């Protein structure tokens, strides 16, 4: 969840949503920042950033946690995936996740017959 001083996307979204919830009760921005600072053990300045994000966007979607999923692929296919990731400046995980999501979406939509 936490890498050094930084929080991951899931925790960040939760904190922004907590700020949005506080603001929904019509609590003043400064007070919301103090409450968040105490709740999460962060500076008031950092808490104010969460509040500012909540003011700008409201509640945000909490990303789904990633899990390790190991598969065996032919070496040539694995190298193609790595090359594509490098060329698109993406991670191998993000390339594979998008490819699988696209494939499953196409299959569910009837655009591709199952293997």
């Amino acid at each position: 969840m936490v890498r050094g001083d930084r929080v991951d996307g899931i925790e960040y979204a939760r904190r922004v949503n907590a700020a949005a919830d506080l603001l929904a009760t019509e609590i003043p921005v400064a007070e919301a920042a103090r409450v968040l600072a105490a709740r999460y053990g962060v500076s008031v300045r950092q808490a104010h950033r969460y509040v500012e994000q909540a003011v700008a966007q409201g509640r945000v979607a909490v990303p789904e946690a990633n899990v390790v999923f190991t598969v065996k692929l032919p070496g040539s296919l694995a190298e193609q995936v790595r090359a594509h990731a490098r060329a698109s400046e993406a991670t191998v995980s993000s390339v594979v996740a998008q490819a699988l999501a696209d494939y499953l979406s196409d299959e569910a939509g009837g655009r591709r017959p199952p293997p």
Side-chain angles (χ1 to χ4, degrees):
M1 175 163 72
V2 177
R3 297 179 309 256
D5 295 332
R6 299 175 74 74
V7 296
D8 63 17
I10 295 169
E11 184 60 22
Y12 180 81
R14 288 180 179 150
R15 292 178 184 193
V16 170
N17 289 342
D21 292 344
L22 286 170
L23 294 172
T25 66
E26 299 186 11
I27 188 171
V29 168
E31 181 61 22
R34 285 192 292 276
V35 169
L36 291 171
R39 183 181 299 172
Y40 294 110
V42 298
S43 68
V44 174
R45 174 184 260 179
Q46 180 60 47
H48 199 273
R49 290 185 188 114
Y50 298 134
V51 174
E52 288 173 350
Q53 188 68 36
V55 167
Q57 288 188 301
R59 292 182 61 81
V60 296
V62 177
E64 187 174 351
N66 291 332
V67 297
V68 175
F69 181 74
T70 304
V71 297
K72 291 187 178 195
L73 300 173
S76 60
L77 179 58
E79 186 47 45
Q80 286 178 310
V81 171
R82 287 187 194 102
H84 180 77
R86 280 191 302 274
S88 59
E89 297 182 353
T91 64
V92 169
S93 291
S94 67
V95 168
V96 172
Q98 187 62 56
L100 285 172
D102 290 349
Y103 177 83
L104 294 173
S105 174
D106 286 352
E107 190 175 89
R111 292 182 296 261
R112 177 177 289 144

